[in-house]
Amino acid sequence: NLGRAQLQQGNASAAAVAFKAATEEAPQDPATWTGLGVARDLLGDHAAAQQAYARALTLDPLHGPARHNLALSRRMQAGPDPGRAE
């Protein structure tokens, strides 16, 4: 919950710390790994975010938020589509 609160306040750095601690306390919870991924994406560390989402999906291959956020992270990492109007 602390990580989510930090994200809502726009503090991705603090959220990443909180979610990292949560993954250590509950390593089998895909939601904590997904939260860590979101925080890392917001910090611009897409590779680390994708690793966190992959861990969540290893734990639960059908975890919707992890699947969705992994796709978004990959898109952010790829950069803007030059053929698409912004």
Side-chain angles (χ1 to χ4, degrees):
N1 289 334
L2 178 59
R4 285 189 203 109
Q6 294 293 347
L7 285 177
Q8 289 176 345
Q9 293 177 5
N11 192 343
S13 294
V17 171
F19 280 118
K20 179 64 177 155
T23 64
E24 292 167 2
E25 290 178 24
Q28 300 302 316
D29 181 2
T32 61
W33 290 100
T34 301
L36 179 60
V38 170
R40 288 183 171 165
D41 264 333
L42 291 172
L43 292 169
D45 190 352
H46 303 301
Q50 291 166 26
Q51 289 175 347
Y53 299 135
R55 177 72 175 138
L57 291 170
T58 297
L59 296 168
D60 179 1
L62 300 178
H63 193 263
R67 292 170 61 102
H68 175 77
N69 286 313
L70 177 59
L72 287 175
S73 181
R74 288 178 175 159
R75 181 68 184 108
M76 286 188 288
Q77 188 176 33
D81 183 352
R84 186 174 148 216
E86 294 294 322

